[in-house]
């Protein structure tokens, strides 16, 4: 029993989780005290934080954090001209519901990880906390529209150290990743992330990992853990995994696809209406319309790296234009298929997939954007957008579909001009975001595309 287990009520599920963590057998190879890492993730979408001995961790524990850390860009330095400087302090306030335990990484002791909200020193939410950005979006959807959602993130990445040919989806490619693949599924499962599928993907040495849907904050927390567990596991085997949008010019892209449904407060789906196009209810159509409408303005946030725009092009099965597509893998928003084998009910299954995102996007922000854009579509009572059925024909039939920005700089300009999307963020967050991304764009722009890909492949 530790301090935390004594200090919370018996009915609190957190108590059970903490007790399980503290009673778990220690790693046989590790004669060390177990630590807990109190984590956040930022504009660079890198997991950061501080650790302490798990035995000293209490329900009320919080650790210090620095506002200017938000200004650390993808390239690993605090950029100039951000509103946060050398003064000011925050607290990392752990959300105990997010506590997970990583065990089974060869040569590395087990580690508990808990995600934190960033709060001011008086405990009030910090204006630029990315996790609070998602929490607020979820709350807004619930209070304003009576809606909830379950979501999951699908990740693609490349084993940069793999040798030889890669035949798409092949058993050989699958076996070559062993024992990492089996270990990955095991570590994810034991950490409570509910892994679903692990597969060799289409691209060279590309793999994909999916986990089960959960409430939005849990889903985004899981996305963060999936990345870090993959990095950890590959690194522990002397291998290198990269989720960068394009690891080398001409290679298949790595996407981060977000699946989500829409339910009422009791968990009943509100998406399905078989009498309407795409089987989408009027409400789901408005929600989708918001995402399509604000897609171009959100690009700087969901596709935030200079090389993101190499991926977002026609024929990449990523996102060719900002449109809603029926089972179309070039859509920004895809209406996913349903499994009706043996009379299975499609109504519970019908859901959307947002395909524009990549690893550069902070999962809390990425999902927060999708939910806020959808909510704005409901607020504005937008009509269901055109649903592209069949193959995309950009030369003719679908030439009118709205384009996404062509590069990061253009995306930043579109974001700045859009009062709705900009208005979802604190002015200080936006100023920091712009400073980081302009700095990053200026620094990588001078390099060849191959070098840009290499820079990001190392970071991500
Ligand atoms: N690799 C594609 C992307 O960049 C996705 C392929 C797929 O799974 O449909 O998003
Ligand atoms: Mg895929």
């Amino acid at each position: 029993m530790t301090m935390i287990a004594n200090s919370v009520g018996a009915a609190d599920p957190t108590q059970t989780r903490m007790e399980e963590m503290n009673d778990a057998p220690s790693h046989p190879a590790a004669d060390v005290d177990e630590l807990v890492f109190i984590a956040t993730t930022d504009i660079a979408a890198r997991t950061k934080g501080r650790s302490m001995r798990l035995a000293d961790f209490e329900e009320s524990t919080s650790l210090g954090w620095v506002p200017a850390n938000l200004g650390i860009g993808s390239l690993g330095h605090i950029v100039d001209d951000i509103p946060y400087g050398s003064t000011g302090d925050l607290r990392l306030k752990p959300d105990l519901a997010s506590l997970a335990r990583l065990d089974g990484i060869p040569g590395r002791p087990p580690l508990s990880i808990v995600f934190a909200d960033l709060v001011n020193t008086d405990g009030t939410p910090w204006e630029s906390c990315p996790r609070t950005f998602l929490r607020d979006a979820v709350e807004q959807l619930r209070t304003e529209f009576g809606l909830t959602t379950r979501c999951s993130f699908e990740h693609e990445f490349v084993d940069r150290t793999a040798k030889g040919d890669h035949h798409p989806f092949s058993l050989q490619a699958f076996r070559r990743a062993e024992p990492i693949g089996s270990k990955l599924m095991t570590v994810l499962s034991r950490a409570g992330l509910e892994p679903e599928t692990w597969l060799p993907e289409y691209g060279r040495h590309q793999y994909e990992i999916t986990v089960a849907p959960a409430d939005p904050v849990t889903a985004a927390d899981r996305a963060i853990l999936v990345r870090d567990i993959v990095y950890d596991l590959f690194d522990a085997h002397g291998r290198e995994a990269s989720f960068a949008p394009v690891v080398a010019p001409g290679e298949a892209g790595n996407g981060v696809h977000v699946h989500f449904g829409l339910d009422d407060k009791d968990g009943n789906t509100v998406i399905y209406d078989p009498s309407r196009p795409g089987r989408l209810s009027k409400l789901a159509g408005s929600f989708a319309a918001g995402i399509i409408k604000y897609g171009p303005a959100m690009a700087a946030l969901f596709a935030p790296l200079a090389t993101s725009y190499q991926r977002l092009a026609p024929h990449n099965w990523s996102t060719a234009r900002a449109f809603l597509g029926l089972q179309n893998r070039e859509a920004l928003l895809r209406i996913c298929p349903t499994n009706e084998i043996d009379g299975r009910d499609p109504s519970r299954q019908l859901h959307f997939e947002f395909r524009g995102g990549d690893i550069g996007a902070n999962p809390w922000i990425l999902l927060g954007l999708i939910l806020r854009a959808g909510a704005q579509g409901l607020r504005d009572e937008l009509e269901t957008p055109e649903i592209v059925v069949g193959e995309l024909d950009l030369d003719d039939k679908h030439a009118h579909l709205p384009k996404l920005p062509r590069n990061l700089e253009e995306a930043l300009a579109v974001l700045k001009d859009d009062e709705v999307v900009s208005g979802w963020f604190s002015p200080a967050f936006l100023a920091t975001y712009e400073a980081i991304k302009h700095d990053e764009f200026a620094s990588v722009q001078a390099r060849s595309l191959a070098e840009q890909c290499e820079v990001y492949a190392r970071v991500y």
Side-chain angles (χ1 to χ4, degrees):
M1 248 346 193
T2 63
M3 290 189 247
I4 180 114
N6 287 322
S7 61
V8 288
D12 187 338
T14 308
Q15 176 180 11
T16 328
R17 295 192 72 186
M18 282 303 299
E19 279 178 344
E20 276 168 14
M21 304 257 167
N22 288 307
D23 292 346
S26 62
H27 196 264
D31 184 20
V32 291
D33 286 352
E34 185 161 332
L35 303 185
V36 54
F37 193 86
I38 298 165
T40 181
T41 182
D42 54 8
I43 286 175
R46 295 306 307 258
T47 314
K48 298 185 169 77
R50 299 179 175 189
S51 80
M52 60 189 290
R53 291 173 68 249
L54 182 61
D56 294 335
F57 182 69
E58 296 181 51
E59 188 191 9
S60 59
T61 299
S62 66
L63 295 181
W65 197 245
V66 178
N69 288 355
L70 188 72
I72 301 173
S74 301
L75 306 178
H77 58 265
I78 299 183
V79 303
D80 293 336
D81 302 326
I82 59 165
Y84 302 113
S86 57
T87 57
D89 286 282
L90 301 170
R91 305 296 297 176
L92 287 160
K93 187 166 182 294
D95 172 1
L96 296 183
S98 71
L99 197 56
R101 186 168 188 267
L102 312 191
D103 194 5
I105 313 272
R108 299 186 181 179
L111 175 70
S112 290
I113 296 191
V114 65
F115 288 105
D117 296 320
L118 295 171
V119 298
N120 297 306
T121 50
D122 63 2
T124 53
W126 184 46
E127 59 181 5
S128 298
C129 170
R131 199 163 185 267
T132 305
F133 177 77
L134 173 57
R135 271 186 189 289
D136 289 349
V138 173
E139 190 51 20
Q140 195 178 57
L141 210 53
R142 202 182 61 82
T143 52
E144 200 176 333
F145 302 103
L147 294 176
T148 62
T149 167
R150 289 176 63 75
C151 321
S152 70
F153 287 64
E154 210 176 85
H155 286 87
E156 295 171 330
F157 66 91
V158 165
D159 176 358
R160 295 189 79 211
T161 33
K163 301 266 183 305
D165 292 339
H166 174 97
H167 194 85
F169 314 116
S170 66
L171 175 63
Q172 186 188 40
F174 168 82
R175 290 295 284 173
R176 276 201 184 135
E178 290 291 42
I180 300 179
S182 295
K183 284 187 187 168
L184 175 61
M185 293 296 269
T186 308
V187 175
L188 292 174
S189 171
R190 290 187 187 160
L193 270 67
E194 301 183 279
E196 281 193 334
T197 52
W198 159 246
L199 57 133
E201 247 283 5
Y202 182 77
R204 234 164 74 82
H205 307 309
Q206 189 183 38
Y207 293 90
E208 176 171 314
I209 179 78
T210 67
V211 299
D215 70 87
V217 176
T218 303
D221 290 350
R222 284 180 176 182
I224 298 164
L225 285 176
V226 163
R227 306 161 183 206
D228 282 300
I229 291 171
V230 168
Y231 288 137
D232 211 12
L233 208 45
F234 274 74
D235 191 52
H237 285 85
R239 310 269 283 263
E240 199 186 324
S242 175
F243 295 77
V246 185
V247 292
E251 296 281 355
N254 292 312
V256 174
H257 305 164
V258 184
H259 292 255
F260 63 96
L262 280 177
D263 298 330
D264 65 19
K265 279 182 183 155
D266 302 320
N268 303 309
T269 181
V270 294
I271 287 196
Y272 189 72
D273 182 346
S275 70
R276 288 175 43 94
R279 300 188 290 179
L280 286 189
S281 66
K282 194 170 178 324
L283 179 145
S286 296
F287 199 89
I291 294 170
I292 300 304
K293 177 174 174 184
Y294 296 106
M298 300 193 297
L301 295 142
F302 67 69
L305 310 179
T307 53
S308 299
Y309 297 84
Q310 298 298 317
R311 183 182 152 258
L312 297 181
H315 312 303
N316 281 352
W317 288 21
S318 58
T319 298
R321 296 276 180 95
F323 71 94
L324 175 66
L326 184 67
Q327 298 166 19
N328 187 315
R329 293 184 181 81
E330 300 225 64
L332 178 63
L333 194 64
R334 179 170 83 124
I335 305 170
C336 292
T338 52
N339 170 3
E340 287 160 54
I341 296 175
D342 297 332
R344 282 178 175 79
D345 179 8
S347 68
R348 291 281 326 140
Q349 301 174 43
L350 194 72
H351 72 276
F352 294 112
E353 178 188 32
F354 183 87
R355 296 179 61 87
D358 68 47
I359 198 70
N362 175 317
W364 295 324
I365 293 176
L366 173 56
L367 189 48
L369 283 172
I370 295 169
L371 301 184
R372 282 171 194 259
Q376 192 59 37
L378 294 177
R379 211 169 281 132
D380 296 346
E381 297 179 16
L382 298 180
E383 290 298 324
T384 303
E386 172 183 357
I387 300 176
V388 170
V389 180
E391 289 300 314
L392 195 61
D393 174 10
L394 288 177
D395 293 328
D396 185 19
K397 212 163 105 189
H398 304 123
H400 60 281
L401 292 173
K403 292 184 175 158
L404 288 169
R406 281 166 308 177
N407 58 50
L408 181 56
E409 201 160 45
E410 199 178 300
L412 289 165
V414 180
L415 169 63
K416 207 182 171 87
D417 280 353
D418 191 299
E419 285 176 9
V420 174
V421 179
S422 299
W424 297 335
F425 297 92
S426 73
F429 180 95
L430 265 190
T432 309
Y433 198 86
E434 281 176 17
I436 284 182
K437 291 297 162 186
H438 282 305
D439 175 86
E440 185 177 319
F441 190 73
S443 131
V444 300
Q445 192 188 23
R447 306 184 197 204
S448 69
L449 179 58
E451 286 170 338
Q452 293 181 27
C453 292
E454 180 63 25
V455 166
Y456 285 121
R458 291 216 184 119
V459 178
Y460 294 103

